[in-house]
Coordinates of all heavy atoms in Angstrom, one line a residue:
M1 N 13.5 11.4 -2.7 CA 12.2 11.8 -2.4 C 11.2 11.1 -3.3 O 11.4 11.1 -4.5 CB 12.0 13.4 -2.6 CG 10.7 13.8 -2.3 SD 10.2 13.9 -0.5 CE 11.2 15.3 0.1
A2 N 10.2 10.4 -2.6 CA 9.2 9.7 -3.5 C 7.9 10.3 -3.4 O 7.5 10.6 -2.1 CB 9.2 8.2 -3.2
K3 N 7.2 10.5 -4.4 CA 5.8 11.0 -4.4 C 4.9 9.8 -4.5 O 5.0 9.1 -5.4 CB 5.6 11.9 -5.5 CG 4.6 13.0 -5.3 CD 4.4 13.9 -6.5 CE 5.2 15.2 -6.3 NZ 4.9 16.2 -7.4
I4 N 4.0 9.7 -3.4 CA 3.1 8.5 -3.4 C 1.7 9.0 -3.3 O 1.3 9.8 -2.5 CB 3.4 7.6 -2.2 CG1 4.9 7.2 -2.4 CG2 2.4 6.5 -2.0 CD1 5.4 6.4 -1.1
T5 N 0.8 8.5 -4.3 CA -0.6 8.8 -4.3 C -1.4 7.8 -3.7 O -1.3 6.6 -4.1 CB -1.0 9.1 -5.8 OG1 -0.2 10.2 -6.3 CG2 -2.5 9.5 -5.9
F6 N -2.3 8.1 -2.7 CA -3.3 7.3 -2.1 C -4.7 7.7 -2.6 O -5.1 8.9 -2.6 CB -3.3 7.3 -0.6 CG -2.0 6.9 0.0 CD1 -1.0 7.8 0.3 CD2 -1.8 5.6 0.4 CE1 0.3 7.4 0.9 CE2 -0.6 5.2 1.0 CZ 0.4 6.1 1.2
I7 N -5.5 6.6 -3.1 CA -6.9 6.9 -3.4 C -7.7 6.1 -2.3 O -7.5 4.9 -2.4 CB -7.2 6.5 -4.9 CG1 -6.2 7.2 -5.8 CG2 -8.6 6.8 -5.2 CD1 -6.4 6.9 -7.3
T8 N -8.5 6.7 -1.6 CA -9.3 6.0 -0.6 C -10.5 5.3 -1.3 O -10.9 5.6 -2.4 CB -9.8 6.9 0.5 OG1 -10.7 7.8 0.0 CG2 -8.6 7.6 1.2
Q9 N -11.3 4.6 -0.4 CA -12.5 4.0 -0.9 C -13.6 5.1 -1.3 O -14.4 4.7 -2.1 CB -13.1 3.0 0.2 CG -12.4 1.8 0.3 CD -12.7 0.8 -0.8 OE1 -13.8 0.6 -1.2 NE2 -11.6 0.2 -1.4
D10 N -13.5 6.2 -0.8 CA -14.4 7.3 -1.0 C -13.8 8.2 -2.2 O -14.3 9.2 -2.5 CB -14.6 8.3 0.1 CG -15.3 7.5 1.3 OD1 -16.0 6.6 1.0 OD2 -15.0 7.9 2.5
N11 N -12.8 7.6 -2.9 CA -12.2 8.3 -4.0 C -11.5 9.6 -3.7 O -11.5 10.5 -4.5 CB -13.2 8.5 -5.1 CG -13.4 7.2 -6.0 OD1 -12.4 6.5 -6.3 ND2 -14.6 6.9 -6.3
E12 N -11.1 9.8 -2.5 CA -10.4 10.9 -2.1 C -8.8 10.6 -2.4 O -8.3 9.6 -2.0 CB -10.4 11.1 -0.6 CG -10.3 12.4 -0.1 CD -10.7 12.7 1.4 OE1 -11.9 12.5 1.6 OE2 -9.8 12.8 2.2
T13 N -8.3 11.5 -3.1 CA -6.9 11.4 -3.5 C -5.9 12.2 -2.7 O -6.2 13.5 -2.5 CB -6.7 11.8 -5.0 OG1 -7.6 10.9 -5.8 CG2 -5.3 11.7 -5.5
T14 N -4.9 11.7 -2.2 CA -3.9 12.4 -1.4 C -2.5 12.1 -1.9 O -2.2 10.8 -2.0 CB -3.9 12.0 0.1 OG1 -5.3 12.1 0.5 CG2 -3.0 12.8 1.0
V15 N -1.7 13.1 -2.1 CA -0.4 12.9 -2.6 C 0.6 13.1 -1.6 O 0.5 14.4 -1.0 CB -0.1 13.7 -3.9 CG1 1.4 13.4 -4.5 CG2 -1.1 13.5 -5.0
L16 N 1.5 12.3 -1.1 CA 2.3 12.5 -0.1 C 3.8 12.4 -0.6 O 4.0 11.6 -1.5 CB 2.1 11.6 1.1 CG 0.7 11.7 1.7 CD1 0.6 10.5 2.7 CD2 0.6 13.0 2.4
E17 N 4.8 13.0 0.1 CA 6.2 12.9 -0.3 C 6.9 12.4 1.0 O 6.6 12.9 2.0 CB 6.7 14.2 -0.7 CG 6.2 14.6 -2.1 CD 6.8 15.9 -2.6 OE1 7.5 16.6 -1.8 OE2 6.7 16.2 -3.8
A18 N 7.8 11.5 0.8 CA 8.6 11.0 1.8 C 10.0 10.5 1.3 O 10.2 10.3 0.1 CB 7.9 9.8 2.5
N19 N 10.9 10.3 2.3 CA 12.2 9.8 2.0 C 12.5 8.5 2.5 O 13.3 7.7 2.0 CB 13.3 10.7 2.6 CG 13.4 12.0 1.7 OD1 13.5 12.0 0.6 ND2 13.5 13.2 2.5
S20 N 11.8 8.1 3.7 CA 12.1 6.8 4.2 C 10.9 6.3 5.0 O 9.9 7.0 5.1 CB 13.4 7.0 5.2 OG 13.0 8.0 6.2
G21 N 11.0 5.2 5.6 CA 10.0 4.6 6.4 C 9.1 3.7 5.5 O 9.4 3.5 4.4
S22 N 8.1 3.0 6.2 CA 7.3 2.3 5.3 C 6.1 3.1 4.8 O 5.8 4.1 5.3 CB 6.7 1.1 6.0 OG 5.7 1.5 6.9
V23 N 5.4 2.7 3.7 CA 4.4 3.4 3.1 C 3.2 3.3 4.1 O 2.4 4.3 4.2 CB 3.9 2.6 1.8 CG1 2.6 3.3 1.2 CG2 5.1 2.9 0.7
M24 N 3.1 2.2 4.9 CA 2.0 2.2 5.9 C 2.3 3.4 7.0 O 1.3 4.0 7.3 CB 2.0 0.8 6.6 CG 1.0 0.6 7.7 SD 1.6 1.3 9.3 CE 2.6 0.1 9.9
E25 N 3.4 3.5 7.4 CA 3.7 4.5 8.4 C 3.4 6.0 7.8 O 2.7 6.7 8.5 CB 5.2 4.5 8.8 CG 5.5 3.2 9.7 CD 7.1 3.0 9.9 OE1 7.9 3.6 9.0 OE2 7.4 2.3 10.7
L26 N 3.7 6.1 6.6 CA 3.4 7.4 5.9 C 1.9 7.6 5.8 O 1.3 8.7 6.2 CB 3.9 7.4 4.6 CG 3.7 8.5 3.7 CD1 4.5 9.8 4.1 CD2 4.1 8.3 2.2
A27 N 1.2 6.6 5.5 CA -0.3 6.7 5.4 C -1.0 6.9 6.8 O -1.8 7.8 7.0 CB -0.9 5.4 4.8
V28 N -0.5 6.2 7.8 CA -1.0 6.4 9.2 C -0.7 7.8 9.6 O -1.7 8.5 10.2 CB -0.5 5.3 10.1 CG1 -0.9 5.6 11.5 CG2 -1.1 4.0 9.7
Q29 N 0.5 8.3 9.5 CA 0.9 9.6 10.0 C 0.0 10.6 9.3 O -0.2 11.7 9.9 CB 2.3 9.9 9.7 CG 3.2 9.1 10.7 CD 4.8 9.0 10.1 OE1 5.1 9.6 9.1 NE2 5.5 8.3 10.8
N30 N -0.4 10.4 8.2 CA -1.3 11.4 7.4 C -2.7 11.0 7.4 O -3.4 11.6 6.5 CB -0.6 11.6 6.1 CG 0.7 12.2 6.0 OD1 0.8 13.4 6.1 ND2 1.8 11.4 6.0
N31 N -3.2 10.2 8.2 CA -4.6 9.9 8.3 C -5.2 9.4 7.1 O -6.4 9.9 6.7 CB -5.3 11.1 9.0 CG -4.8 11.4 10.4 OD1 -4.6 10.6 11.1 ND2 -4.5 12.7 10.5
I32 N -4.6 8.7 6.3 CA -5.2 8.1 5.0 C -6.3 7.1 5.5 O -6.0 6.1 6.2 CB -4.2 7.4 4.1 CG1 -3.1 8.3 3.7 CG2 -4.9 6.8 2.9 CD1 -3.5 9.5 2.9
A33 N -7.6 7.4 5.2 CA -8.7 6.5 5.6 C -8.5 5.1 5.1 O -8.3 4.9 3.8 CB -10.0 7.1 5.1
G34 N -8.7 4.2 5.9 CA -8.7 2.7 5.5 C -7.3 2.1 5.8 O -7.2 0.8 5.6
I35 N -6.3 2.9 6.1 CA -5.0 2.3 6.4 C -4.9 2.4 7.9 O -4.7 3.5 8.4 CB -3.8 3.0 5.7 CG1 -4.1 3.0 4.2 CG2 -2.5 2.3 6.1 CD1 -3.6 1.8 3.4
D36 N -4.9 1.3 8.6 CA -4.8 1.3 10.0 C -3.5 0.9 10.6 O -3.0 1.4 11.7 CB -5.9 0.5 10.7 CG -7.3 1.1 10.3 OD1 -7.5 2.3 10.1 OD2 -8.3 0.2 10.1
G37 N -2.9 -0.1 9.9 CA -1.6 -0.5 10.5 C -1.6 -1.1 11.9 O -0.7 -0.8 12.7
D38 N -2.6 -1.8 12.2 CA -2.9 -2.4 13.6 C -1.8 -3.1 14.1 O -1.5 -3.1 15.3 CB -4.1 -3.2 13.5 CG -5.4 -2.4 13.5 OD1 -5.3 -1.2 13.6 OD2 -6.5 -2.9 13.3
C39 N -1.1 -3.9 13.3 CA 0.1 -4.8 13.9 C 1.4 -4.1 13.9 O 2.4 -4.6 14.4 CB 0.3 -6.1 13.1 SG 1.0 -5.8 11.5
G40 N 1.4 -2.8 13.5 CA 2.6 -2.0 13.6 C 3.6 -2.2 12.5 O 4.7 -1.8 12.6
G41 N 3.2 -3.1 11.5 CA 4.0 -3.3 10.3 C 4.8 -4.5 10.3 O 5.7 -4.7 9.6
V42 N 4.3 -5.5 11.1 CA 5.0 -6.8 11.1 C 4.2 -8.0 10.2 O 4.4 -9.1 10.3 CB 5.1 -7.4 12.5 CG1 6.0 -6.5 13.3 CG2 3.9 -7.6 13.2
C43 N 3.4 -7.4 9.4 CA 2.8 -8.2 8.3 C 1.8 -9.4 8.9 O 1.8 -10.4 8.5 CB 3.9 -9.0 7.5 SG 3.4 -9.5 5.8
S44 N 1.1 -8.9 9.9 CA 0.2 -10.0 10.5 C -1.3 -9.4 10.7 O -2.0 -10.1 11.4 CB 0.7 -10.4 11.9 OG 0.8 -9.3 12.8
C45 N -1.6 -8.3 10.2 CA -3.0 -7.8 10.3 C -3.8 -7.5 9.0 O -5.0 -7.6 9.0 CB -3.1 -6.6 11.2 SG -2.4 -5.1 10.4
A46 N -3.1 -7.2 7.9 CA -3.7 -6.8 6.7 C -4.5 -5.6 6.7 O -5.4 -5.4 5.8 CB -4.4 -8.0 6.0
T47 N -4.4 -4.7 7.8 CA -5.1 -3.5 7.8 C -4.4 -2.4 7.0 O -4.7 -1.1 7.2 CB -5.4 -3.1 9.2 OG1 -4.2 -2.8 9.8 CG2 -6.2 -4.0 10.0
C48 N -3.5 -2.9 6.2 CA -2.7 -1.9 5.4 C -2.7 -2.3 4.0 O -1.9 -1.9 3.1 CB -1.2 -1.7 5.9 SG -0.4 -3.3 5.7
H49 N -3.8 -3.0 3.6 CA -3.9 -3.6 2.2 C -4.2 -2.4 1.2 O -5.2 -1.6 1.4 CB -5.2 -4.5 2.3 CG -5.5 -5.3 1.1 ND1 -6.5 -6.1 1.0 CD2 -4.8 -5.3 -0.1 CE1 -6.6 -6.6 -0.3 NE2 -5.6 -6.2 -0.9
V50 N -3.5 -2.4 0.2 CA -3.7 -1.5 -0.9 C -3.6 -2.3 -2.3 O -3.1 -3.4 -2.3 CB -2.6 -0.4 -1.0 CG1 -2.7 0.4 0.2 CG2 -1.2 -0.9 -1.1
Y51 N -4.3 -1.8 -3.3 CA -4.0 -2.2 -4.6 C -3.1 -1.3 -5.4 O -3.4 0.0 -5.4 CB -5.4 -2.3 -5.3 CG -6.4 -3.1 -4.6 CD1 -7.6 -2.4 -4.1 CD2 -6.4 -4.5 -4.5 CE1 -8.5 -3.1 -3.5 CE2 -7.3 -5.2 -3.8 CZ -8.4 -4.6 -3.3 OH -9.3 -5.3 -2.6
V52 N -2.1 -1.8 -6.0 CA -1.1 -1.1 -6.8 C -1.7 -0.8 -8.1 O -2.3 -1.7 -8.7 CB 0.3 -1.8 -6.9 CG1 1.2 -1.0 -7.7 CG2 0.8 -2.1 -5.5
D53 N -1.6 0.4 -8.6 CA -2.1 0.7 -9.9 C -1.5 -0.3 -10.9 O -0.2 -0.5 -10.8 CB -1.8 2.2 -10.3 CG -2.3 2.5 -11.7 OD1 -1.7 2.0 -12.7 OD2 -3.1 3.4 -11.8
P54 N -2.2 -0.9 -11.6 CA -1.7 -2.0 -12.6 C -0.5 -1.4 -13.4 O 0.4 -2.3 -13.8 CB -2.8 -2.2 -13.6 CG -4.0 -2.0 -12.7 CD -3.7 -0.8 -11.9
Q55 N -0.5 -0.1 -13.7 CA 0.7 0.3 -14.4 C 2.0 0.5 -13.6 O 3.1 0.9 -14.1 CB 0.4 1.7 -15.1 CG -0.6 1.6 -16.1 CD -1.0 3.0 -16.7 OE1 -0.8 4.0 -16.1 NE2 -1.7 2.9 -17.8
H56 N 1.8 0.3 -12.3 CA 3.0 0.6 -11.4 C 3.6 -0.5 -10.6 O 4.3 -0.3 -9.7 CB 2.5 1.7 -10.4 CG 2.2 3.1 -11.0 ND1 1.3 4.0 -10.4 CD2 2.5 3.5 -12.2 CE1 1.1 4.9 -11.3 NE2 1.9 4.7 -12.3
T57 N 3.2 -1.8 -11.1 CA 3.6 -2.9 -10.2 C 5.2 -3.0 -10.4 O 5.8 -3.6 -9.5 CB 2.9 -4.3 -10.7 OG1 3.1 -4.3 -12.1 CG2 1.5 -4.2 -10.4
D58 N 5.7 -2.5 -11.4 CA 7.2 -2.6 -11.5 C 7.9 -1.7 -10.5 O 8.9 -2.1 -10.0 CB 7.6 -2.1 -12.9 CG 7.1 -0.7 -13.3 OD1 6.0 -0.4 -12.8 OD2 7.9 0.0 -13.9
K59 N 7.2 -0.8 -9.9 CA 7.8 0.1 -8.9 C 7.8 -0.6 -7.6 O 8.6 -0.4 -6.7 CB 6.9 1.4 -8.8 CG 7.0 2.3 -9.9 CD 6.2 3.6 -9.7 CE 6.1 4.4 -10.8 NZ 7.2 5.0 -11.3
T60 N 6.7 -1.4 -7.3 CA 6.5 -2.1 -6.0 C 7.3 -3.5 -5.9 O 7.5 -4.0 -4.8 CB 5.1 -2.2 -5.6 OG1 4.4 -3.0 -6.7 CG2 4.5 -0.9 -5.4
G61 N 7.4 -4.1 -7.0 CA 8.0 -5.4 -7.0 C 7.0 -6.5 -6.5 O 5.8 -6.2 -6.4
Q62 N 7.6 -7.6 -6.1 CA 6.8 -8.7 -5.7 C 6.6 -8.8 -4.3 O 7.5 -8.4 -3.5 CB 7.4 -10.0 -6.2 CG 7.5 -10.3 -7.6 CD 6.1 -10.6 -8.1 OE1 5.4 -11.5 -7.6 NE2 5.7 -10.0 -9.3
A63 N 5.5 -9.3 -3.8 CA 5.2 -9.6 -2.3 C 6.0 -10.7 -1.9 O 6.3 -11.7 -2.6 CB 3.8 -9.8 -2.0
S64 N 6.6 -10.7 -0.7 CA 7.3 -11.8 -0.1 C 6.3 -13.0 0.1 O 5.1 -12.8 0.0 CB 8.0 -11.4 1.2 OG 6.9 -11.1 2.2
E65 N 6.9 -14.1 0.5 CA 6.1 -15.2 0.7 C 5.1 -15.0 2.0 O 4.0 -15.4 2.0 CB 6.9 -16.5 1.0 CG 6.3 -17.8 0.5 CD 7.3 -18.9 0.5 OE1 8.4 -18.8 -0.1 OE2 7.1 -19.9 1.2
I66 N 5.8 -14.4 3.0 CA 4.9 -14.1 4.1 C 3.8 -13.2 3.9 O 2.6 -13.4 4.4 CB 5.8 -13.5 5.3 CG1 6.9 -14.6 5.7 CG2 5.1 -13.0 6.5 CD1 8.0 -14.0 6.7
E67 N 4.1 -12.2 3.1 CA 3.1 -11.2 2.7 C 2.0 -12.0 1.9 O 0.8 -11.6 2.1 CB 3.7 -10.0 2.0 CG 2.8 -9.0 1.5 CD 3.5 -7.8 0.8 OE1 4.7 -7.7 0.8 OE2 2.7 -7.0 0.2
Q68 N 2.4 -12.8 0.9 CA 1.4 -13.4 0.1 C 0.5 -14.4 0.9 O -0.7 -14.3 0.7 CB 2.1 -14.3 -0.9 CG 2.7 -13.5 -2.1 CD 3.5 -14.2 -3.1 OE1 3.5 -15.5 -3.1 NE2 4.2 -13.6 -4.0
D69 N 1.1 -15.0 1.9 CA 0.3 -15.9 2.8 C -0.7 -15.1 3.5 O -1.9 -15.5 3.7 CB 1.2 -16.6 3.9 CG 2.1 -17.6 3.3 OD1 1.8 -18.0 2.1 OD2 3.1 -18.1 4.0
M70 N -0.3 -13.9 4.0 CA -1.3 -13.0 4.7 C -2.4 -12.6 3.7 O -3.6 -12.5 4.1 CB -0.5 -11.8 5.3 CG -1.2 -11.0 6.3 SD -1.4 -12.0 7.8 CE -3.0 -11.4 8.3
L71 N -2.1 -12.2 2.6 CA -3.0 -11.7 1.6 C -4.0 -12.8 1.2 O -5.1 -12.5 0.9 CB -2.3 -11.2 0.3 CG -1.7 -9.8 0.5 CD1 -0.8 -9.4 -0.6 CD2 -2.7 -8.7 0.6
E72 N -3.6 -14.1 1.2 CA -4.5 -15.1 0.8 C -5.5 -15.3 1.9 O -6.7 -15.8 1.5 CB -3.6 -16.5 0.8 CG -2.9 -16.8 -0.5 CD -2.1 -17.9 -0.6 OE1 -2.2 -18.7 0.3 OE2 -1.2 -17.8 -1.4
L73 N -5.5 -14.7 3.0 CA -6.5 -14.8 3.9 C -7.5 -13.7 3.7 O -8.6 -13.7 4.4 CB -6.1 -14.7 5.5 CG -4.8 -15.7 5.8 CD1 -4.3 -15.4 7.2 CD2 -5.6 -17.1 5.8
D74 N -7.3 -12.8 2.9 CA -8.1 -11.6 2.6 C -8.9 -11.9 1.4 O -8.3 -12.0 0.4 CB -7.3 -10.4 2.4 CG -8.0 -9.2 2.5 OD1 -9.2 -9.2 2.1 OD2 -7.6 -8.1 3.0
D75 N -10.2 -12.0 1.5 CA -11.2 -12.2 0.4 C -11.1 -11.1 -0.6 O -11.4 -11.4 -1.8 CB -12.6 -12.3 0.9 CG -12.8 -13.6 1.7 OD1 -12.0 -14.6 1.5 OD2 -13.9 -13.7 2.4
D76 N -10.7 -9.9 -0.3 CA -10.6 -8.8 -1.3 C -9.3 -8.7 -2.0 O -9.2 -7.7 -2.8 CB -10.9 -7.5 -0.5 CG -12.3 -7.4 0.1 OD1 -13.3 -8.0 -0.6 OD2 -12.5 -6.8 1.1
A77 N -8.5 -9.6 -1.7 CA -7.1 -9.5 -2.3 C -7.2 -9.9 -3.8 O -8.0 -10.9 -4.2 CB -6.1 -10.4 -1.6
N78 N -6.4 -9.2 -4.6 CA -6.2 -9.7 -6.0 C -4.8 -9.6 -6.4 O -3.9 -9.4 -5.6 CB -7.2 -8.9 -6.9 CG -6.8 -7.4 -6.9 OD1 -5.6 -7.0 -6.8 ND2 -7.7 -6.5 -7.3
E79 N -4.5 -9.7 -7.7 CA -3.1 -9.7 -8.2 C -2.3 -8.4 -7.9 O -1.1 -8.4 -8.0 CB -3.1 -10.1 -9.7 CG -3.8 -9.1 -10.5 CD -4.0 -9.5 -12.0 OE1 -3.1 -9.9 -12.7 OE2 -5.1 -9.6 -12.4
F80 N -3.1 -7.4 -7.7 CA -2.4 -6.1 -7.4 C -2.3 -5.7 -5.9 O -1.9 -4.6 -5.7 CB -3.2 -5.0 -8.2 CG -3.3 -5.2 -9.7 CD1 -4.5 -5.5 -10.2 CD2 -2.1 -5.3 -10.5 CE1 -4.6 -6.0 -11.6 CE2 -2.2 -5.6 -11.9 CZ -3.4 -5.9 -12.4
S81 N -2.7 -6.6 -5.1 CA -2.6 -6.4 -3.6 C -1.3 -6.4 -3.1 O -0.4 -7.3 -3.4 CB -3.5 -7.6 -2.9 OG -4.9 -7.4 -3.2
R82 N -1.1 -5.4 -2.2 CA 0.1 -5.4 -1.4 C -0.2 -5.0 0.0 O -1.2 -4.3 0.2 CB 1.2 -4.4 -1.9 CG 1.8 -4.9 -3.3 CD 2.6 -6.2 -3.2 NE 3.5 -6.3 -2.2 CZ 4.9 -5.9 -2.4 NH1 5.3 -5.5 -3.6 NH2 5.8 -6.0 -1.4
L83 N 0.6 -5.5 1.0 CA 0.4 -4.9 2.3 C 1.4 -3.8 2.5 O 2.6 -4.0 2.3 CB 0.6 -6.0 3.3 CG -0.3 -7.1 3.3 CD1 0.0 -8.3 4.3 CD2 -1.8 -6.7 3.6
C84 N 1.0 -2.5 2.6 CA 1.9 -1.5 2.4 C 2.9 -1.2 3.4 O 3.8 -0.4 3.3 CB 1.2 -0.1 2.0 SG 0.2 0.6 3.2
C85 N 2.6 -2.0 4.6 CA 3.8 -2.0 5.5 C 5.1 -2.6 5.1 O 6.2 -2.4 5.6 CB 3.4 -2.6 6.9 SG 3.0 -4.4 6.8
Q86 N 4.9 -3.4 4.0 CA 6.0 -4.1 3.5 C 6.6 -3.3 2.3 O 7.6 -3.8 1.7 CB 5.6 -5.5 3.0 CG 4.9 -6.4 4.1 CD 6.0 -6.5 5.3 OE1 7.0 -7.1 5.1 NE2 5.5 -6.2 6.5
L87 N 6.1 -2.2 2.1 CA 6.7 -1.4 1.0 C 7.5 -0.2 1.7 O 6.9 0.6 2.4 CB 5.6 -0.7 0.2 CG 4.7 -1.6 -0.7 CD1 3.5 -0.8 -1.3 CD2 5.5 -2.4 -1.7
E88 N 8.9 -0.3 1.4 CA 9.7 0.7 2.0 C 9.7 1.9 1.0 O 9.9 1.8 -0.2 CB 11.2 0.2 2.0 CG 11.4 -0.7 3.3 CD 11.2 0.1 4.6 OE1 11.8 1.2 4.7 OE2 10.5 -0.3 5.4
V89 N 9.6 3.1 1.6 CA 9.7 4.4 0.8 C 11.1 4.4 0.2 O 12.0 4.4 0.9 CB 9.3 5.6 1.6 CG1 9.5 6.8 0.7 CG2 7.9 5.5 2.1
S90 N 11.1 4.6 -1.1 CA 12.5 4.9 -1.8 C 12.2 5.5 -3.1 O 11.0 5.6 -3.6 CB 13.2 3.5 -1.9 OG 12.6 2.9 -3.0
E91 N 13.2 5.9 -3.8 CA 13.1 6.5 -5.1 C 12.4 5.7 -6.1 O 11.5 6.1 -6.9 CB 14.5 6.8 -5.6 CG 15.2 8.0 -5.0 CD 14.7 9.4 -5.4 OE1 14.0 9.4 -6.4 OE2 14.8 10.2 -4.6
A92 N 12.5 4.3 -5.9 CA 11.8 3.4 -6.7 C 10.4 3.5 -6.7 O 9.7 3.2 -7.8 CB 12.3 2.0 -6.4
L93 N 9.7 4.0 -5.7 CA 8.3 4.1 -5.6 C 7.8 5.5 -6.0 O 6.6 5.7 -6.1 CB 7.9 4.0 -4.1 CG 7.8 2.6 -3.4 CD1 7.3 2.7 -2.1 CD2 7.0 1.6 -4.3
D94 N 8.8 6.3 -6.5 CA 8.3 7.6 -6.9 C 7.2 7.6 -8.0 O 7.3 6.9 -9.0 CB 9.5 8.4 -7.4 CG 9.1 9.9 -7.7 OD1 8.4 10.4 -6.9 OD2 9.5 10.4 -8.7
G95 N 6.0 8.2 -7.7 CA 5.0 8.3 -8.7 C 3.9 7.2 -8.6 O 3.0 7.1 -9.4
V96 N 4.1 6.3 -7.6 CA 3.3 5.1 -7.5 C 1.8 5.6 -7.0 O 1.8 6.5 -6.2 CB 3.8 4.0 -6.6 CG1 3.6 4.5 -5.1 CG2 3.1 2.7 -6.8
V97 N 0.8 4.9 -7.6 CA -0.6 5.2 -7.1 C -1.1 4.0 -6.5 O -1.0 2.8 -7.0 CB -1.4 5.5 -8.4 CG1 -2.9 5.7 -8.0 CG2 -0.9 6.8 -9.0
L98 N -1.6 4.2 -5.3 CA -2.2 3.0 -4.4 C -3.5 3.2 -4.1 O -3.9 4.4 -3.5 CB -1.2 2.9 -3.1 CG 0.3 2.8 -3.3 CD1 0.9 2.9 -2.0 CD2 0.6 1.4 -4.0
R99 N -4.4 2.3 -4.4 CA -5.8 2.5 -4.1 C -6.1 1.6 -2.6 O -5.6 0.5 -2.6 CB -6.6 1.9 -5.1 CG -8.1 2.1 -4.9 CD -8.9 1.7 -6.1 NE -9.0 2.7 -7.1 CZ -9.9 3.8 -7.0 NH1 -10.7 4.0 -6.1 NH2 -9.9 4.7 -8.0
V100 N -6.6 2.2 -1.8 CA -6.8 1.6 -0.4 C -7.9 0.6 -0.6 O -9.0 0.9 -1.0 CB -7.2 2.7 0.6 CG1 -7.5 2.0 2.0 CG2 -6.1 3.8 0.7
A101 N -7.5 -0.6 0.0 CA -8.6 -1.7 -0.1 C -9.6 -1.6 1.1 O -9.3 -0.7 2.0 CB -7.9 -3.1 0.1
R102 N -10.7 -2.2 0.9 CA -11.8 -2.3 2.0 C -11.3 -2.7 3.3 O -10.4 -3.6 3.4 CB -12.8 -3.2 1.6 CG -14.2 -2.6 1.4 CD -15.1 -3.7 1.0 NE -15.4 -3.4 -0.5 CZ -16.3 -2.5 -0.9 NH1 -16.9 -1.7 0.0 NH2 -16.5 -2.3 -2.2
Ligands
LIG201 S1 0.4 -3.1 9.2 FE1 -0.2 -5.0 9.8 S2 0.1 -6.3 7.9 FE2 0.7 -4.2 7.4

């Protein structure tokens, strides 16, 4: 079980728990504002863009090359950016804090 915290652009904080699936699916199922998941999780829309809390980048690891290519197209991306459809829910993510990008 992983506890994942989302902070929206309106500073609304939601803590969700899950065992499996992608973080994007978890966010969409729970109506987290700003996470749309338009492409269904195939890393081609960037509507699941989040910023990983700088203290938690060890939990999420590195973005793949495909994910990095997609993020490069987003002007709001920074070193903490991830596309959360590419983050699989697992124990490793427990306690992670994700801020939803614009
Ligand atoms: S849902 Fe489209 S890139 Fe993540």
Side-chain angles (χ1 to χ4, degrees):
M1 181 72 72
K3 206 179 261 191
I4 298 171
T5 300
F6 295 91
I7 304 172
T8 67
Q9 285 287 314
D10 295 334
N11 279 322
E12 203 170 293
T13 299
T14 306
V15 182
L16 299 173
E17 288 184 348
N19 287 312
S20 60
S22 77
V23 173
M24 177 278 283
E25 288 165 344
L26 179 68
V28 169
Q29 283 160 11
N30 289 278
N31 301 313
I32 301 296
I35 304 281
D36 297 330
D38 285 347
C39 74
V42 296
C43 204
S44 65
C45 72
T47 64
C48 64
H49 183 187
V50 295
Y51 303 112
V52 179
D53 183 292
Q55 293 179 341
H56 297 159
T57 50
D58 56 327
K59 295 181 190 293
T60 54
Q62 292 288 315
S64 69
E65 211 167 304
I66 295 170
E67 185 181 343
Q68 282 175 15
D69 287 348
M70 197 64 215
L71 283 167
E72 274 172 21
L73 301 174
D74 190 328
D75 290 341
D76 293 323
N78 67 26
E79 63 192 295
F80 302 110
S81 291
R82 291 300 304 268
L83 296 176
C84 68
C85 65
Q86 303 301 303
L87 295 174
E88 279 300 310
V89 173
S90 74
E91 288 288 332
L93 282 187
D94 188 39
V96 76
V97 175
L98 304 171
R99 185 171 279 276
V100 179
R102 241 174 252 283

